[in-house]
Amino acid sequence: MAATFTRNNAWDNGGTLEGNSDLLWYAIGVGKMMQRSITDPKSWWYFGAIHGDGPEWGGITAPPQVPPLPSPDLRGWSQCQHATWYFPPWHRGYLIALENQVREDIISLGGPSSWALPYWNYFGQQNPPDQFNIPPAFLEQNFPQAAQLPPNVPPNIPGSPNPLFVNARYGPNGDGVIFVPTQAGVNAHPQDPNSDFDFGVVTADCLSDTAYTNSFGGGQTGFEHFDSATGDLENNPHNLVHSYIGGFQGNDQNNEQGLMGDPLMAGLDPVFYLHHANIDRLWAIWNVTLKKDNPNSVNWLFGPTTNGQPDFQMPKDGSWWRFTPSDVTDIGKLNYTYEELSAPTGVVTAAQAFSARLTALRKAPAAGAIGGIENVEPGNKVELMGATQRSVVVNGAGARAPVRLDTGVRNKVVASLQGASQAAPPDRVLLRLDNVVGKIGGVISVYINMPEGGKPAQFRHLSAGSIGLFGLREASEPAGKHGGKGMSFTLDITKVIDQLHLGQAFDLDTLYVSLVPSRAIPESTPITVGRISIYRQAH
């Protein structure tokens, strides 16, 4: 049975209010929700607070004109799930509830009953090729005039303020140019090759993961607003996109932060929901197109509960909808689909990745060779190879920290690389950043053995990936739920280690890890990494 609702690409028909009816009616529906009181579960403000609320709301430069927060929090507020394996299902339920409310308002104003939330596919490279840019509908301060709009829009709409326009949306460079630094985005907005800073590239590499738990979807936790079990889907692209789109006014961390850059404000920006529709679409691609499985653990399927009731709850159809992850795993049963569900260019299968690695190591893989590529979180079938001896302070243009290696463990990695074959898959090497704390987030790229004073643009082959610090402030609050322990991330640095090995540059007792921010970090607000550790994962 075909789904009733299809979520379409926001860039269809140019991504403008006059050309894209999905975006036009989204703006009209959002506008009606904004007219309601913050205490009304059908209001825009109530839904924004479900994701997160805080005193930061009082400092937001309009538009939007954000009302004062009541005290204490109302039902269901600040329940978003981050750095947890519940990240994908909680946000899917959140989107369904928001979409349902917007559709209800659209229908009441004479709009289409088939309306569904569009998605922003910043990985799209066709029709048009620059979908890494924010759709123009979000940059128009006012609705078009009546002659450019269909006749059934409410008479007060033409020429009125556009609810999709947000002032506090500053972009990667802090200049109001809003784009996502995918590889195509970086190519279109190149940085100075002599810069000390680096745009961590936004990718869909998470789709190549083979396991949900401790990999694609995050690590096992309870009900978590922010914990330290960030999954690959959540880190990149999710966190990076949030950080880049929000940005800072003038790209100075001491200035106003864009709404999208802080989880306590992000739900107030209408582009938030199009970004999350794309994140939800990637999860659907991982399940439906790539045929990969969600967890079968009872703890995941039925989620956190209180007194036998699911903790996840959303206002929907005039009441409260409680749901579990198992209720939202199948989009077909949820009666919606996406216009396009093919994997982005560059996503490879496990077999392709393994075959390519053997080839890179100058071995001879068999056609379709596969083996030894399950993603495993450190602490499970891994061996510590080295770690920093003290915390690392990241400010200014970043930091460079030595990680002393255990010779015996390093030799095991070398032996596995030398003897690699289809029957003997070589080790993987993982880098762990633990207890990352700070007052304001951003994006930090990680380089292995980049020379001191080296420029990132000249050493791309030593890049180990990037981390997005969306939610860092909340995770670092000493009085918060997690006692200020901050965030933790795992990056697979196997490709870099392979390159060092092939270049006869892995016979050393210390690796140097460079942490390169996308913008300068003031000394007054440093980011601190509690420990950097490197693990060998044998197969």
Side-chain angles (χ1 to χ4, degrees), residues 284-296:
I285 289 171
W286 199 78
N287 284 153
V288 177
T289 306
L290 302 178
K291 309 296 184 185
K292 298 179 182 180
D293 296 327
N294 298 317
N296 57 11

Side-chain angles (χ1 to χ4, degrees), residues 41 46 50 75-77 79 313-316 318-322:
Y46 202 106
I50 287 174
R75 179 175 179 177
W77 283 15
Q79 62 165 298
Q313 53 181 320
M314 301 290 167
K316 188 170 181 282
S319 60
W320 284 86
W321 170 44
R322 290 183 176 269

Side-chain angles (χ1 to χ4, degrees), residues 103-119:
R103 183 186 299 120
E104 177 184 301
D105 285 326
I106 287 172
I107 294 172
S108 74
L109 295 169
S113 60
S114 61
W115 180 87
L117 183 69
Y119 63 92

Side-chain angles (χ1 to χ4, degrees), residues 177-226:
V177 177
I178 312 301
F179 70 97
V180 174
T182 60
Q183 190 57 62
V186 170
N187 293 343
H189 300 271
Q191 286 186 294
D192 181 350
N194 294 313
S195 173
D196 291 324
F197 306 103
D198 184 35
F199 277 155
V201 178
V202 175
T203 75
D205 290 351
C206 62
L207 291 176
S208 296
D209 289 350
T210 55
Y212 181 104
T213 306
N214 297 325
S215 185
F216 177 81
Q220 301 182 47
T221 70
F223 187 97
E224 296 294 349
H225 193 42
F226 280 95

